[in-house]
Amino acid sequence: MEVFIHDNLPKLEQTAFGIGIFFLIIAGLFFLASKAKGRAQRPLALAIFFGPAAVLLIVGLIIPAIQTILFSFEDANSKSFVGLKNYLWIITNPEIHIVLRNTLLWIVLAPLVTAGLGLLLAIMLDRMKHESIAKSLIFMPMAISFVGASIIWKFVYQYAPPKQPQIGLLSTIVRAFGFEPSNWILITPLNSFLLMVIFVWVQTGFGMVILSAAIKGVPTDIIEASTLDGASGWRLFRGITFPMVKGTFIVVFATTVVTSLKLFDIVRTMTGGNFGTNVLSNEMYAQVFVQFDQGRGSALAVVLFLALMPVLLYNIRSLKEARKIS
């Protein structure tokens, strides 16, 4: 322990010194702003509020992103330029094709089910008495990390060999109906869908709360007028409720897509990416920290970033259109 602290002491001192200088600069800007008058006040105010955020954005996001892109064109040790070799490996490797297929399933099915189930629950609980209790129970899994949720669901999917007592909830239910349970996590592609259930269980509460707030924002006079005109049930939902909350639904869906696309915890905890369940973020981790291949890991990170961009751009455009309408 003493050796570890001694070896890392210079780095700790450098980090502490850099943080001290950063806050010293901010304090100096605040002092200058308090003394400035006239035309100098506005530029200093912009420097104080925008400057530190810009520095942190550049140091924490832009520079690492540029370094990752450069590493993706280099070899495993980032010492020599290899061109598009890492990207060709992604295109031609059959195992990576499975990873990309699983990632596509995650970003299509998991967010769609999560947002749809959240909307359904929001509508069902909107007119319910003591709805706050039900919403709190449904939202409660959001307080659990993906790792914690995976450990809980490991007991649900637990399997014991034949003629032994089953402690897993799913295996117990299957046996109660007269069927013989299987080792669920080993069955492909069922295991990927079982992992998605964990994601949906955690994230549905988020979608329900956001969409419930949007539904409560729908003007009651519009709903009453539509009811008088004979609209009810599915017709009322299709013609009034969903169009009014469509923007919020898109935001929830896009947010869940981003979360599922960079998902790592569930796959790593449940299967480690084995048995045909691997996804892009877990493979990126494995290449960098298990295989020690900086080039391939960086190339996968770039692919992950490019996959996120259309979702983010669509979300930004939807928010701009919603602001224009409002």
Side-chain angles (χ1 to χ4, degrees):
M1 184 69 180
E2 293 179 358
V3 174
F4 175 79
I5 295 174
H6 182 268
D7 292 341
N8 288 274
L9 191 58
K11 294 181 180 180
L12 294 174
E13 290 178 350
Q14 292 176 3
T15 303
F17 180 75
I19 294 173
I21 292 295
F22 178 74
F23 282 104
L24 186 64
I25 293 173
I26 294 177
L29 289 173
F30 272 103
F31 177 77
L32 291 174
S34 64
K35 298 296 182 180
K37 296 180 180 179
R39 296 181 178 179
Q41 283 184 330
R42 181 174 176 80
L44 281 174
L46 291 174
I48 290 171
F49 290 105
F50 178 72
V55 171
L56 292 174
L57 182 67
I58 293 170
V59 174
L61 181 63
I62 296 178
I63 292 178
I66 294 172
Q67 288 179 334
T68 302
I69 294 172
L70 294 177
F71 288 157
S72 69
F73 295 103
E74 297 176 349
D75 64 354
N77 299 318
S78 301
K79 291 183 178 180
S80 60
F81 181 78
V82 296
L84 298 174
K85 183 179 178 180
N86 295 320
Y87 293 98
L88 292 174
W89 168 77
I90 294 175
I91 296 173
T92 57
N93 192 311
E95 294 182 1
I96 301 301
H97 294 169
I98 297 174
V99 171
L100 296 175
R101 182 202 65 190
N102 291 341
T103 304
L104 182 62
L105 284 174
W106 271 93
I107 65 176
V108 173
L109 293 181
L112 191 62
V113 174
T114 301
L117 188 58
L119 179 60
L120 178 63
L121 290 171
I123 294 172
M124 292 174 61
L125 299 175
D126 186 48
R127 305 296 180 183
M128 179 181 174
K129 291 183 179 180
H130 308 294
E131 61 174 304
S132 59
I133 298 175
K135 287 181 178 179
S136 298
L137 293 174
I138 296 172
F139 187 78
M140 196 175 294
M142 279 292 295
I144 307 172
S145 66
F146 280 131
V147 174
S150 300
I151 294 172
I152 293 171
W153 280 84
K154 262 192 174 183
F155 291 103
V156 176
Y157 299 144
Q158 187 72 35
Y159 168 75
K163 298 182 180 181
Q164 293 188 12
Q166 298 289 344
I167 63 170
L169 179 60
L170 180 58
S171 297
T172 304
I173 293 173
V174 170
R175 179 169 285 184
F177 280 96
F179 300 98
E180 191 61 33
S182 303
N183 197 341
W184 310 107
I185 297 301
L186 299 183
I187 302 174
T188 305
L190 177 63
N191 46 12
S192 292
F193 296 110
L194 293 178
L195 298 189
M196 292 180 196
V197 171
I198 305 173
F199 180 89
V200 173
W201 181 69
V202 173
Q203 291 290 317
T204 296
F206 163 76
M208 177 203 64
V209 170
I210 301 299
L211 290 166
S212 179
I215 289 172
K216 290 187 180 299
V218 177
T220 55
D221 53 347
I222 296 178
I223 296 177
E224 291 173 357
S226 301
T227 304
L228 291 174
D229 289 338
S232 62
W234 169 251
R235 186 178 175 187
L236 181 65
F237 169 78
R238 185 185 61 184
I240 302 297
T241 305
F242 186 74
M244 297 290 286
V245 301
K246 182 181 177 182
T248 306
F249 182 85
I250 291 173
V251 171
V252 171
F253 179 78
T255 304
T256 316
V257 167
V258 173
T259 306
S260 64
L261 190 56
K262 61 182 183 180
L263 186 74
F264 168 81
D265 317 60
I266 295 176
V267 175
R268 195 70 191 173
T269 305
M270 293 292 291
T271 64
N274 299 314
F275 319 121
T277 61
N278 206 3
V279 292
L280 197 56
S281 55
N282 184 69
E283 181 63 24
M284 177 184 67
Y285 167 85
Q287 288 296 327
V288 176
F289 296 103
V290 179
Q291 304 295 333
F292 301 105
D293 194 323
Q294 186 106 328
R296 290 180 176 180
S298 299
L300 290 170
V302 172
V303 171
L304 185 63
F305 174 75
L306 293 176
L308 280 171
M309 286 304 296
V311 180
L312 296 177
L313 293 174
Y314 180 76
N315 197 15
I316 293 171
R317 190 183 70 176
S318 298
L319 289 173
K320 287 183 178 180
E321 291 178 354
R323 288 178 181 177
K324 289 179 181 178
I325 293 174
S326 60

